[in-house]
Amino acid sequence: MLSRIANSLLWMGRYLERAQHTARYVNVHYFSALDAPNLSKKEYVLDSISCMTGLSYEYDEDILNLEDQNLIYKITLDETNPVSIKSFINNARENARGARDILSSELWESINKFYHSANAYQGKTLTEEEILSFTEMVVHQCAIVNGYIDHSLLHDETWSLIQLGIHTEAAGQLTRMLIAKVRDIEKTEQLKLGKAMETYQCIAMLKSAEGYDMSRVHYKSVPNLKKALEFLILNKDFPRSIIFNLEAVNNCLQKISLVKGEEKGSVEFFAGKLQASYSYLTIEEIQDQILPFLEKTLDNLYKLGSLVDQKIS
Amino acid sequence: MKDSIQLNGNSIFSSYDSEKNLYDEVFDQTGKVKKYYQKVLSLFNKLTLQDLKKLNEFARASFFNQGVTFAVYSDNLKGVERIFPFDLFPRIIPLKEWENLEKGIIQRNRAINMFLYDIYHDRKVLKDKIVPSELIFSSNYYLKEMIGFTPPGKVYTHISGTDLIKHKDGEYYVLEDNLRCPSGVSYVLSNREAMKRTLSKVFSSYNIKPVHDYPEQLLSMIQSVAPEGVDNPTCVVLTPGMYNSAYYEHSFLAQSMGIQLVEGRDLYVDKNFVYMKTLHGAKRVDVIYRRVDDDFIDPLCFKADSVLGIPGLMGCYREGNVTLINAPGTGAVDDKAVYTYIPDIIKYYLSEEPILKNVHTYRCELEDDLKYVMENMENLVVKPVDESGGYGIFMGHKSTAEQRKEFQDRIKSNPRKYIAQPIMSLSVHSTFIEESEFFEPRHIDLRSFCLMGKNKDFVLKGGLSRVALKKGSLIVNSSQGGGSKDTWVLEG
């Protein structure tokens, strides 16, 4: 396979996953704010969304002055914003187009349809119904595209590269989401909002990773913060957990590597070591220092991402 | 089943008023439907306008979702994506008529190939004064790099797209020969697909020659011209990239042949061999079906600032280490002034009478012809010899005195650059027109696709019928508002 194509496949996977995570986060947070315990300020919700998507005051002072509607626009449809959902979809499709000849027609068509569905949203402001339908559409279309990735491609190099992109990104996005949520919870703690607020935040956290239902099935109880974090970071059976994605990254790397056995300093070595260190971790070890732990995780994932890029180009 | 379809009442053909002076593909002069169109027409007559609009919409969505689009360059960096308009009413060519066309296309392209070999070797045809030397040597597309070099199998024009029209006398005429990466074949295949999806009923009642074997034929042609001694050649399609207007076609062809689609930056030259950069190191490339123009393929030889090409490619080619499809330098014949000599060229090399007619052409560089052109501007089409896509064309019958004057000056300043032809009345074909919601006659042409490999000729049965959607317009190019039709060659 051409290196350029390998790169396109990887990034197609990454952008698809990025679009999906952002859409789900916006959806869950914007709408859960509607029936949040009454002291939850809407600003927190928008603040949380912009933190998760990487739009932050530190980089872009304009964010401070944006009306709610404009902020939502900036995060969802604004094509001039490189971290908007729309930009992610455009990039996913461009990468797929560059590798068009080695994808199945079914997969390509599903990505192209996804792109055109997103183009149907043209307004500069979104009504609440539109925010709901747009973010749901993104999540839904991503599920369709993922279905075609899994069921219409050979599970060979092509598939492994797309999956590598998806899982690298999924681990990163989940970590960012957790950081945003843990910060939200710390802020609300300072305001002494009580237990109801913590539960509310935990539910939002789990829903943002489509893990609410399964965590209840798993723990047979209403989630608390410790359980929610354990589930999302360390549960090996939950497909969106950090450890699950790290394992998947390793499997994909094995499939695309010609050299068996890991050389020190190689991406395979780094990914293997990272997975191993999470495999034997317990929530008790990290729960008191959760924010530094997550930030360290994010650093490691960035490093993993750049090693993958180096390997491919 | 009725013998003929009446063109009145409430049918969707009711505003159809066939023009007396033109050749109509569907109806004869008395307004009767030609025999081979009857089944299609009776089907259309059973449809309501709503049905038809729905089918039209369905076909359009199918193209859009498949990404069968071309980019129109605009202020927007990405360009605007357009569907090449597709008309539901197929064009039908009876087998007998087609067989003659096919023979003519092969004859013409064989002679062109021999002519190319000759002008880059002994130049007998020039010495014998069949074609004036200046005409060839003054062409920008005549490449000195090709002199004395023989491509595998002596094939230069592996893929050619001969454009044909039917005049009011009912005869086919060749309008031009496209010998430099002609495009459009992917539309032939996707039009057929769209047709099968939308009007499946008609298909079962006709015996239509298939077109789906094109990618297979193309691949076997490509493999047949691999460099000497390479058993299992690695073949690739070279595209200028995703933002090229024909990118869909490039990726479609690569995908349907199962070979790699590459860009210039994926390839490099080492010791006169071409390699591509893969995930697992370098891989040698043996045949390149390039969809990049001569000027851009090798910055060391041609345009130095080209980023689309591969530095050193021509060296590998001349060493015989890689085959280029089509050969560089074919553009010297793909020139509207050289076109006028093709009948003589056919006679010279093949000692045969040309099967396909040429449109009579006046060469402005000849004194008598120039004089005629200057005096008859309003009855002529004047074309620059070296442009494509319908650009720079002067249409006499639609011009103002001022425009004629301006164009006369332009011709006088560079007569070699222009040829003129009588205005040919392209045949018309019923076409669904959205604005009026009726089938109306529109002008059409036909681009055929011919493959030539080592001991192998193939003409795609059918081709691309392009239709000028604007009323009265004779320009069918997609860049100028043209559309296309599925084209059926009928058995029996």
Side-chain angles (χ1 to χ4, degrees):
Chain A
M1 177 180 312
L2 292 175
S3 307
R4 175 177 57 82
I5 298 292
N7 199 50
S8 295
L9 294 171
L10 178 87
W11 281 94
M12 175 187 124
R14 291 196 67 154
Y15 282 119
L16 281 170
E17 197 64 18
R18 227 173 251 192
Q20 177 184 186
H21 274 267
T22 312
R24 200 179 304 110
Y25 198 80
V26 169
N27 182 298
V28 168
H29 284 75
Y30 195 80
F31 290 96
S32 68
L34 301 176
D35 69 340
N38 50 11
L39 278 169
S40 155
K41 293 272 194 299
K42 212 169 165 187
E43 298 88 83
Y44 278 130
V45 174
L46 290 170
D47 195 17
S48 176
I49 293 174
S50 54
C51 170
M52 151 72 186
T53 56
L55 278 177
S56 102
Y57 311 137
E58 291 154 45
Y59 303 113
D60 188 352
E61 287 189 3
D62 287 348
I63 302 284
L64 273 178
N65 307 322
L66 285 180
E67 304 270 331
D68 295 3
Q69 278 303 322
N70 294 341
L71 181 67
I72 290 289
Y73 173 75
K74 199 169 174 108
I75 290 166
T76 52
L77 296 183
D78 187 354
E79 289 181 70
T80 64
N81 171 20
V83 295
S84 71
I85 297 174
K86 188 68 206 304
S87 294
F88 297 154
I89 298 169
N90 292 351
N91 290 341
R93 191 239 191 186
E94 287 298 84
N95 278 296
R97 216 153 88 88
R100 166 78 188 86
D101 57 307
I102 59 163
L103 302 179
S104 63
S105 306
E106 291 82 0
L107 173 56
W108 159 250
E109 255 184 65
S110 69
I111 295 172
N112 200 40
K113 263 188 187 168
F114 181 15
Y115 167 79
H116 288 308
S117 313
N119 279 344
Y121 292 82
Q122 285 292 348
K124 278 258 170 192
T125 52
L126 288 136
T127 61
E128 271 172 7
E129 293 77 48
E130 281 170 330
I131 298 172
L132 181 70
S133 78
F134 177 73
T135 51
E136 275 179 357
M137 179 278 286
V138 174
V139 173
H140 188 68
Q141 295 283 350
C142 278
I144 294 173
V145 172
N146 280 327
Y148 281 118
I149 291 171
D150 259 355
H151 300 297
S152 77
L153 294 181
L154 291 177
H155 284 208
D156 61 359
E157 239 171 27
T158 304
W159 177 86
S160 302
L161 281 157
I162 301 172
Q163 292 295 338
L164 181 60
I166 288 176
H167 292 295
T168 312
E169 189 66 31
Q173 287 295 327
L174 184 70
T175 310
R176 295 176 70 102
M177 189 273 278
L178 291 175
I179 292 173
K181 286 321 294 170
V182 170
R183 284 197 181 141
D184 285 350
I185 292 172
E186 283 183 356
K187 271 184 225 156
T188 49
E189 270 172 1
Q190 286 162 11
L191 294 172
K192 307 240 181 298
L193 292 173
K195 198 74 189 157
M197 194 61 205
E198 190 191 307
T199 308
Y200 156 75
Q201 293 287 17
C202 287
I203 291 172
M205 184 193 276
L206 286 161
K207 279 188 173 167
S208 302
E210 280 174 354
Y212 181 50
D213 296 334
M214 287 308 109
S215 73
R216 277 192 311 185
V217 169
H218 183 72
Y219 291 110
K220 301 179 179 61
S221 69
V222 182
N224 60 22
L225 182 59
K226 182 181 166 187
K227 282 177 184 160
L229 288 171
E230 183 183 53
F231 190 71
L232 294 175
I233 299 171
L234 299 173
N235 191 311
K236 288 186 181 163
D237 298 325
F238 178 56
R240 295 197 194 278
S241 74
I242 292 180
I243 183 68
F244 187 97
N245 282 297
L246 286 176
E247 270 176 24
V249 164
N250 266 304
N251 291 338
C252 295
L253 282 170
Q254 299 297 334
K255 278 208 168 174
I256 57 175
S257 299
L258 280 185
V259 269
K260 293 291 165 211
E262 294 97 8
E263 233 173 274
K264 242 191 226 173
S266 70
V267 59
E268 291 84 357
F269 184 83
F270 184 80
K273 194 172 165 183
L274 198 59
Q275 182 200 333
S277 71
Y278 282 72
S279 289
Y280 299 100
L281 207 58
T282 61
I283 189 66
E284 287 76 17
E285 286 171 83
I286 52 176
Q287 66 174 343
D288 295 332
Q289 286 297 313
I290 193 68
L291 209 50
F293 170 80
L294 289 170
E295 272 158 2
K296 179 81 181 116
T297 302
L298 199 55
D299 278 349
N300 280 327
L301 291 169
Y302 285 149
K303 184 161 181 211
L304 178 67
S306 66
L307 283 173
V308 168
D309 267 347
Q310 273 171 33
K311 181 188 167 67
I312 283 170
S313 51
Chain B
M1 174 104 202
K2 283 186 273 182
D3 284 329
S4 69
I5 305 294
Q6 295 302 308
L7 299 178
N8 50 30
N10 295 322
S11 98
I12 35 192
F13 286 87
S14 58
S15 82
Y16 197 104
D17 111 68
S18 54
E19 288 168 55
K20 289 284 163 293
N21 249 335
L22 300 172
Y23 183 88
D24 195 305
E25 300 279 355
V26 185
F27 301 98
D28 67 16
Q29 270 153 332
T30 63
K32 263 193 171 177
V33 186
K34 289 184 189 167
K35 209 171 130 221
Y36 44 91
Y37 273 106
Q38 281 174 357
K39 286 183 210 159
V40 184
L41 227 83
S42 68
L43 176 94
F44 278 131
N45 264 329
K46 277 183 210 139
L47 299 176
T48 64
L49 182 60
Q50 258 54 43
D51 295 338
L52 202 68
K53 278 175 146 177
K54 217 192 268 171
L55 288 177
N56 218 11
E57 209 37 61
F58 182 76
R60 184 179 312 197
S62 141
F63 283 111
F64 203 53
N65 290 333
Q66 287 176 64
V68 189
T69 52
F70 63 94
V72 182
Y73 301 109
S74 70
D75 323 337
N76 183 337
L77 189 70
K78 286 188 287 178
V80 181
E81 274 174 50
R82 295 265 169 80
I83 302 171
F84 188 22
F86 168 67
D87 185 59
L88 289 172
F89 199 147
R91 186 234 192 116
I92 298 178
I93 303 175
L95 188 64
K96 237 178 127 192
E97 193 173 311
W98 174 260
E99 279 171 343
N100 193 49
L101 262 183
E102 186 169 315
K103 258 191 238 151
I105 292 165
I106 291 178
Q107 178 198 49
R108 193 171 172 101
N109 286 305
R110 260 193 209 147
I112 287 174
N113 237 316
M114 295 169 85
F115 177 59
L116 274 159
Y117 177 81
D118 196 9
I119 60 171
Y120 286 118
H121 290 83
D122 303 336
R123 299 173 188 165
K124 282 191 224 124
V125 71
L126 309 180
K127 287 172 196 154
D128 291 344
K129 307 241 179 287
I130 305 296
V131 178
S133 310
E134 319 83 74
L135 196 62
I136 301 301
F137 299 135
S138 66
S139 165
N140 290 332
Y141 296 109
Y142 184 80
L143 301 181
K144 60 178 192 319
E145 288 80 0
M146 289 298 289
I147 297 171
F149 173 74
T150 307
K154 284 193 186 178
V155 186
Y156 288 81
T157 54
H158 310 84
I159 302 160
S160 47
T162 312
D163 285 349
L164 297 140
I165 58 159
K166 211 188 240 181
H167 190 43
K168 57 185 165 208
D169 56 8
E171 298 264 5
Y172 284 100
Y173 287 78
V174 175
L175 213 51
E176 52 186 72
D177 301 285
N178 294 283
L179 309 170
R180 293 169 283 156
C181 337
S183 63
V185 74
S186 59
Y187 294 117
V188 176
L189 278 79
S190 46
N191 283 356
R192 180 62 55 87
E193 242 0 86
M195 212 55 184
K196 280 199 256 182
R197 287 189 201 181
T198 36
L199 293 173
S200 35
K201 253 192 214 156
V202 199
F203 268 83
S204 41
S205 59
Y206 278 106
N207 195 353
I208 305 159
K209 290 278 186 192
V211 292
H212 60 75
D213 57 337
Y214 183 80
E216 198 185 313
Q217 296 284 354
L218 180 61
L219 183 62
S220 89
M221 180 280 286
I222 289 176
Q223 288 167 337
S224 81
V225 293
E228 208 67 40
V230 178
D231 287 340
N232 194 2
T234 300
C235 310
V236 298
V237 178
L238 175 68
T239 173
M242 196 153 65
Y243 296 105
N244 183 272
S245 60
Y247 179 74
Y248 167 75
E249 175 154 309
H250 307 161
S251 65
F252 171 85
L253 289 173
Q255 189 206 25
S256 55
M257 287 189 282
I259 66 177
Q260 192 90 55
L261 180 69
V262 304
E263 293 181 20
R265 56 189 162 134
D266 298 324
L267 303 180
Y268 68 94
V269 167
D270 187 28
K271 299 190 179 68
N272 272 339
F273 283 92
V274 184
Y275 297 91
M276 56 182 168
K277 300 174 205 162
T278 79
L279 204 49
H280 305 303
K283 184 160 174 52
R284 205 177 107 185
V285 174
D286 305 302
V287 187
I288 302 176
Y289 171 21
R290 43 95 181 205
R291 297 293 296 260
V292 173
D293 289 339
D294 287 359
D295 277 355
F296 296 96
I297 53 173
D298 183 352
L300 297 186
C301 263
F302 309 114
K303 274 195 175 153
D305 57 349
S306 167
V307 291
L308 303 175
I310 304 103
L313 181 63
M314 277 306 280
C316 311
Y317 180 62
R318 287 191 53 100
E319 282 289 311
N321 293 338
V322 69
T323 306
L324 294 177
I325 288 173
N326 290 348
T330 56
V333 184
D334 182 346
D335 170 307
K336 293 182 181 74
V338 178
Y339 159 88
T340 59
Y341 293 95
I342 302 285
D344 303 324
I345 288 171
I346 293 173
K347 283 180 219 157
Y348 182 76
Y349 293 106
L350 301 174
S351 312
E352 293 170 9
E353 276 306 307
I355 299 169
L356 297 174
K357 291 184 175 170
N358 247 29
V359 179
H360 186 80
T361 305
Y362 302 92
R363 294 189 278 263
C364 295
E365 61 184 334
L366 304 178
E367 210 172 301
D368 290 351
D369 283 12
L370 181 65
K371 186 162 173 276
Y372 180 85
V373 171
M374 287 299 161
E375 286 164 2
N376 294 279
M377 287 291 280
E378 61 272 31
N379 300 319
L380 296 169
V381 186
V382 187
K383 302 174 182 175
V385 292
D386 51 1
E387 290 201 37
S388 58
Y391 291 101
I393 289 180
F394 169 86
M395 297 286 220
H397 63 303
K398 287 193 174 164
S399 61
T400 62
E402 202 178 315
Q403 284 167 333
R404 283 195 289 275
K405 173 80 183 54
E406 194 211 315
F407 223 84
Q408 278 171 336
D409 293 343
R410 217 185 285 179
I411 297 168
K412 272 189 245 163
S413 72
N414 189 1
R416 162 72 178 89
K417 195 179 152 65
Y418 294 95
I419 54 113
Q421 291 168 338
I423 295 168
M424 296 299 283
S425 54
L426 279 64
S427 59
V428 292
H429 194 295
S430 310
T431 301
F432 185 66
I433 301 300
E434 257 173 274
E435 295 82 50
S436 69
E437 302 185 333
F438 284 112
F439 281 97
E440 294 180 21
R442 287 293 184 272
H443 291 289
I444 58 167
D445 81 343
L446 176 68
R447 170 166 290 184
S448 62
F449 295 91
C450 174
L451 303 178
M452 305 195 107
K454 216 178 243 172
N455 310 318
K456 170 185 173 69
D457 305 321
F458 170 83
V459 182
L460 179 61
K461 292 205 169 31
L464 185 66
S465 289
R466 298 184 295 181
V467 49
L469 293 174
K470 248 188 270 167
K471 195 170 187 170
S473 168
L474 293 171
I475 298 182
V476 295
N477 303 69
S478 58
S479 49
Q480 315 259 329
S484 72
K485 286 171 172 294
D486 191 15
T487 307
W488 298 352
V489 172
L490 277 197
E491 188 108 51

